[in-house]
């Protein structure tokens, strides 16, 4: 139970950080890239979709790191 409470607290903390106004441009870019990836997949270009989705994930990692949370890699 303590582990679950700790994990839920971590998630709440992370969500609070991601709502910070300074991170909005990074999150907006990640969201846009995600939509682009979905469109590429719909058009039948899975290679481009995967690359674009990886770019989106990179932007999310930047946002989390900018919020002060360490993510290795």
């Amino acid at each position: 139970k303590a582990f679950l409470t700790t994990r839920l607290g971590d998630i709440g903390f992370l969500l609070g950080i991601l709502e910070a106004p300074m991170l909005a441009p990074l999150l907006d870019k990640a969201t846009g890239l995600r939509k682009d990836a979905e469109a590429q997949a719909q058009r039948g270009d899975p290679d481009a979709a995967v690359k674009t989705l990886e770019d989106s994930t990179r932007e999310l990692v930047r946002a989390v790191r900018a919020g002060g949370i360490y993510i290795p890699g």
Side-chain angles (χ1 to χ4, degrees), residues 10-70:
D10 290 347
I11 291 169
F13 176 73
L14 179 59
L15 292 175
I17 285 174
L18 292 178
E19 291 178 359
M22 67 182 207
L23 301 181
L26 294 171
L27 297 174
D28 290 345
K29 184 174 180 183
T31 301
L33 288 167
R34 169 88 183 198
K35 290 178 183 177
D36 292 347
E38 290 172 359
Q40 290 166 334
Q42 288 291 324
R43 288 193 306 266
D45 192 356
D47 293 336
V50 168
K51 184 195 176 306
T52 304
L53 192 56
E54 289 171 345
D55 293 342
S56 174
T57 301
R58 225 176 333 275
E59 290 302 315
L60 290 175
V61 169
R62 283 186 185 129
V64 170
R65 286 179 176 157
I69 296 177
Y70 173 72

